[in-house]
Amino acid sequence: MTRFPGVTHAATAVFVSILLTACGGESSDPTTDSPTGLQITGAGATFPEPLYQEWIRRYNAEQSDARFSYEGVGSGEGVKRFIAEAVDFGASDSAMTDEQIAQVARGAVLIPATAGMVVLAYNLPGVEGELRLPRDVYVDIFLGKIWKWDDPRIVAANPDLELPSKLIQTVVRRDGSGTTFVFTNHLGTISPAWLNEGPGTGTLLDWPGGAMTGTGNEGVAHKIKISHGSIGYIEYFFAKRLGLPIATLQNQAGNFVKPDAESGQRTLETAAAERMPENLRLFVPDPDAPDAYPIVSLSWLLLYGAYPEPEKAAALKAAVTWALNTGQPIAEDLGYIPLPANIVSAATRALKAIQ
């Protein structure tokens, strides 16, 4: 298994295309009309959007039975559109709650499609080398309790770095976001203070400390890139493709770990073997393996239990089956965690129930 390859010309072209799509607020181009006239639309999480756009580009080129498109609008909006039946499929990094599922007249089937890592990217000009952030330190940064980069607790963890006496500016999501849920679910799991004194866990929060905000992962990434002294939570893909430095985080075992696809895959495989729920809502907010990167999450496609048009159900099942198999190596090439075999098997079984 390869580890996060360097940026190729092809990957750069894909990334530029994705950024243009995201910034323009438009969904992916179906390329050509389907001869059958079957158009399938989806909307939701920005966390997996670069991967979904690339999957759609490749899948549309391989078959002509249907044309797929996807709009990255955030997990919260994606769930709303899915419940309102304004799309053929949704996508969310926070899955759906029981209450949300109960609102879907046609039933909802949650399919894990990919997985990824939420990273803390930062902008500190002149600071070279690995920035290490202990668990209690990055919690307190986002609680607004640590507000300067040369705070003694940050300095103690990074004795070899020349940290500036500069204000820390956190950057967070302003839209309903599965990435926010993944990050705050982790913070709430490792820190009682986050739940008791902070904003808690959710997809849209009232952040302390006058945080800057951005829309979508790409919005937060760009805000970090142009703001000296900033730090924010984003999906790994966006940080790497924009060349943003990424903090090394301390895990439950006390080790400092960089994002790593192999470690993330092993973490998910073990968790699925131990406790995969029937509805496939598997969360791993604080993995305990010694080599585990601490913020790993699945990302789900939201499909209806029944579709009025049988051809639409068949087309979706075929496309998702392709994504679960052929699409996983593509996921790794873009910096996502390819799903382990036991999760692919569980997702494939769930897919068969769709009518």
Side-chain angles (χ1 to χ4, degrees):
M1 182 181 297
T2 57
R3 293 175 182 255
F4 300 120
V7 181
T8 63
H9 291 302
T12 301
V14 170
F15 181 58
V16 170
S17 174
I18 290 165
L19 284 181
L20 290 174
T21 297
C23 292
E26 299 176 357
S27 59
S28 56
D29 183 358
T31 305
T32 59
D33 291 334
S34 165
T36 62
L38 190 60
Q39 304 288 332
I40 297 178
T41 63
T46 63
F47 184 113
E49 183 185 8
L51 174 61
Y52 290 174
Q53 300 288 11
E54 179 64 0
W55 277 352
I56 286 171
R57 185 186 71 81
R58 296 195 190 196
Y59 191 70
N60 280 347
E62 289 184 13
Q63 56 81 43
S64 59
D65 293 336
R67 282 292 173 264
F68 290 80
S69 62
Y70 180 78
E71 185 178 5
V73 294
S75 293
E77 179 63 22
V79 169
K80 289 179 183 178
R81 294 189 190 185
F82 180 74
I83 292 173
E85 299 188 13
V87 291
D88 298 309
F89 68 95
S92 173
D93 303 319
S94 56
M96 294 178 72
T97 65
D98 290 341
E99 293 75 15
Q100 290 170 333
I101 291 172
Q103 298 176 53
V104 184
R106 290 193 271 148
V109 178
L110 310 184
I111 303 292
T114 189
M117 294 156 286
V118 175
V119 301
L120 295 183
Y122 61 92
N123 183 337
L124 282 177
V127 175
E128 303 293 337
E130 178 184 6
L131 175 68
R132 293 186 168 200
L133 294 179
R135 287 153 74 83
D136 60 329
V137 167
Y138 63 80
V139 169
D140 280 355
I141 286 174
F142 282 88
L143 279 175
K145 293 182 176 181
I146 294 178
W147 49 277
K148 293 190 73 175
W149 280 108
D150 62 350
D151 183 279
R153 292 162 66 191
I154 303 179
V155 171
N158 299 276
D160 297 329
L161 297 184
E162 292 292 332
L163 293 166
S165 182
K166 189 174 185 63
L167 291 177
I168 296 174
Q169 179 63 66
T170 55
V171 187
V172 302
R173 290 281 289 272
R174 70 163 59 99
D175 53 327
S177 160
T179 308
T180 299
F181 172 80
V182 171
F183 182 52
T184 59
N185 192 32
H186 169 72
L187 297 183
T189 300
I190 71 172
S191 171
W194 184 264
L195 297 178
N196 298 329
E197 305 171 26
T201 297
T203 59
L204 185 62
L205 302 179
D206 183 14
W207 293 87
M212 293 192 294
T213 62
T215 300
N217 274 283
E218 71 282 350
V220 173
H222 281 288
K223 191 66 67 75
I224 296 168
K225 191 172 182 67
I226 65 174
S227 305
H228 292 179
S230 62
I231 185 170
Y233 62 93
I234 53 176
E235 199 276 327
Y236 175 87
F237 172 92
F238 293 90
K240 291 299 289 184
R241 293 307 188 258
L242 285 179
L244 296 173
I246 297 171
T248 299
L249 304 183
Q250 187 181 38
N251 65 13
Q252 184 182 145
N255 299 320
F256 288 90
V257 182
K258 296 179 180 180
D260 179 280
E262 293 181 8
S263 169
Q265 191 178 47
R266 287 195 302 271
T267 296
L268 292 171
E269 182 178 29
T270 300
E274 292 176 349
R275 58 181 185 277
M276 174 63 87
E278 186 176 349
N279 59 18
L280 307 189
R281 286 187 303 199
L282 176 68
F283 299 108
V284 192
D286 188 26
D288 58 6
D291 63 346
Y293 180 74
I295 316 178
V296 176
S297 178
L298 291 170
S299 189
W300 292 262
L301 288 172
L302 315 177
L303 304 179
Y304 296 107
Y307 287 83
E309 308 97 326
E311 64 276 9
K312 189 165 284 189
L316 274 163
K317 290 168 77 172
V320 177
T321 298
W322 181 94
L324 289 171
N325 294 279
T326 304
Q328 294 307 305
I330 300 170
E332 185 170 9
D333 286 344
L334 289 181
Y336 294 85
I337 300 172
L339 296 180
N342 56 353
I343 294 182
V344 170
S345 295
T348 301
R349 288 193 298 270
L351 195 60
K352 293 177 180 178
I354 296 171
Q355 301 177 355

